[in-house]
Amino acid sequence: MPTSTLSDAELCLQEKQLFVNDGRLPPESMGLLRPTTLDTPIEEIKRRYNEDGYVFVKGLVPRNDILQARRKYFELLAPTNVLKPGTKPVEGIFNTAQDKLNFPGIGAGVANTTDEHGRTTGPDPDLAGLFGDLALQAHSEDWYKEDLCRHPALQEFVAKMTGWGDNTLGIRRTLLRNNMPGNKAIGVHYDQIFLRHGEDTFVTAWVPIGDIKIDGGGLIYLEKGKLSLIPSRHLLGAEIEADFTKLAREAGLPEEEIKNAYNQNMMNGGLLSTGPAGFAKEHNSRWLLTAYEAGDIVFHNSYAIHASTINYDDENRWSNILRPGDGL
């Protein structure tokens, strides 16, 4: 693993038990995501983004704007009785009397969670189907697709950080993902896998819709490998993508199939791996984690390798995540 002097905060982190799909993250496989404050000079922000493949911005969007979207999301899901009775929708507390398998995470790559028509399914197909339909409906609600996805704070930050200015275009492709307590988490991937029909210069805005504890299922990023011949881990993503393309062409796949995130060279769901712990060990690196607050945003490039932890929030609180554009 990359070695360096650990801060007190990182030493405390290594005492925590955090889990991914293939088990507990070993202490040596964990580090802290570097925060960036709003008063950071723009040239420093650009440097961090270019070198690390991400920039984690604290408090960019007003907290109340995020919580309003969270409240409306859970109000929409109310017919599924997914929330604990007597709690407020904005709290997002799971009703533990329900079977969590009826509420799988969108895009988590979980086998046998869709029926022959592609609808979400579970132990109770009717309930799971209703949940899946409402979770997808949320993507077309104005409070989501207009108020949140097109929030001026997101657009203005990307325009300034990239230098695109008035030429900044928000891609109309988003994913509002839920991470149910104890369910399977999203596996290892980078976003260019799913956006191969366009250029690789897009910026993803990852938006936690509410507070997420460090063990609450938030996004984790593969650290740049200081001991690797590859100078930064987001370049590892670019190298993997080049290898995928080479293999696909050698196999004689047509160009349209090569661009498909689910072609024969890819894993189920277009993932690099379902197990973040094993992936970090294989590539001699660490996963960078943090707790998130409503209003925090992570911007990352098309090759930044990321995944998520399993949500073991002790209050059974959902984590909800907006990924505008899988690129904004």
Side-chain angles (χ1 to χ4, degrees):
M1 300 295 169
T3 58
S4 61
T5 303
L6 298 179
S7 66
D8 289 343
E10 285 183 311
L11 290 172
C12 290
L13 170 65
Q14 293 193 350
E15 295 177 359
K16 293 183 179 294
Q17 294 194 36
L18 302 175
F19 294 86
V20 287
N21 292 332
D22 54 340
R24 182 185 176 186
L25 278 179
E28 66 273 14
S29 293
M30 297 190 296
L32 287 171
L33 207 64
R34 174 166 59 173
T36 295
T37 57
L38 293 177
D39 60 356
T40 303
I42 190 62
E43 291 305 318
E44 173 62 13
I45 290 173
K46 291 179 179 179
R47 185 189 68 80
R48 293 182 183 186
Y49 181 79
N50 290 332
E51 290 187 6
D52 297 338
Y54 77 88
V55 60
F56 166 39
V57 186
K58 295 291 296 180
L60 178 64
V61 176
R63 178 179 179 84
N64 286 340
D65 292 356
I66 298 294
L67 294 182
Q68 176 174 286
R70 182 176 177 88
R71 174 179 59 80
K72 291 187 175 181
Y73 175 79
F74 284 117
E75 287 175 348
L76 180 65
L77 295 180
T80 66
N81 294 315
V82 72
L83 295 182
K84 181 179 179 180
T87 62
K88 298 176 182 179
V90 73
E91 294 174 318
I93 306 297
F94 178 56
N95 180 2
T96 55
Q98 295 270 29
D99 188 333
K100 66 184 182 182
L101 296 179
N102 286 317
F103 310 97
I106 296 175
V110 183
N112 303 318
T113 55
T114 56
D115 61 21
E116 65 272 18
H117 303 296
R119 295 177 76 246
T120 300
T121 190
D124 183 339
D126 290 338
L127 177 58
L130 175 61
F131 169 77
D133 289 345
L134 291 174
L136 291 176
Q137 179 184 327
H139 293 73
S140 61
E141 298 290 321
D142 283 345
W143 54 261
Y144 173 75
K145 68 183 180 71
E146 299 297 334
D147 299 345
L148 189 56
C149 293
R150 298 170 66 87
H151 198 289
L154 299 176
Q155 188 90 2
E156 290 167 9
F157 185 90
V158 172
K160 188 175 181 180
M161 180 181 72
T162 59
W164 295 339
D166 293 339
N167 293 321
T168 304
L169 176 66
I171 302 173
R172 284 289 207 176
R173 176 170 173 171
T174 71
L175 179 59
L176 178 53
R177 174 176 290 134
N178 59 78
N179 195 347
M180 179 70 63
N183 273 358
K184 186 175 181 179
I186 188 67
V188 182
H189 66 287
Y190 53 86
D191 290 348
Q192 180 64 16
I193 290 173
F194 305 101
L195 289 166
R196 287 173 174 152
H197 286 82
E199 298 295 327
D200 62 0
T201 55
F202 63 82
V203 177
T204 292
W206 187 84
V207 183
I209 304 183
D211 299 336
I212 303 177
K213 297 178 182 178
I214 200 164
D215 59 355
L219 211 64
I220 59 178
Y221 286 85
L222 197 69
E223 182 183 39
K224 61 182 183 181
K226 298 183 179 62
L227 299 183
S228 173
L229 294 177
I230 303 171
S232 63
R233 286 293 157 186
H234 59 101
L235 296 185
L236 172 62
E239 183 177 271
I240 291 173
E241 179 68 9
D243 288 342
F244 279 141
T245 302
K246 179 174 180 289
L247 288 171
R249 290 208 169 103
E250 289 175 349
L253 295 183
E255 285 300 312
E256 191 67 19
E257 180 68 10
I258 290 172
K259 294 176 181 178
N260 190 327
Y262 313 107
N263 70 46
Q264 67 184 33
N265 292 318
M266 310 303 296
M267 289 187 63
N268 178 42
L271 301 174
L272 301 177
S273 171
T274 58
F279 191 87
K281 182 177 181 180
E282 177 185 355
H283 293 283
N284 189 38
S285 191
R286 303 189 301 173
W287 290 104
L288 303 180
L289 310 89
T290 192
Y292 298 95
E293 298 176 293
D296 294 348
I297 313 291
V298 184
F299 297 95
H300 65 251
N301 71 21
S302 58
Y303 296 114
I305 295 174
H306 51 285
S308 66
T309 57
I310 293 175
N311 180 0
Y312 281 132
D313 186 302
D314 57 10
E315 296 179 302
N316 289 304
R317 190 181 305 272
W318 288 37
S319 57
N320 295 87
I321 302 142
L322 158 65
R323 298 164 59 78
D326 256 0
L328 190 148

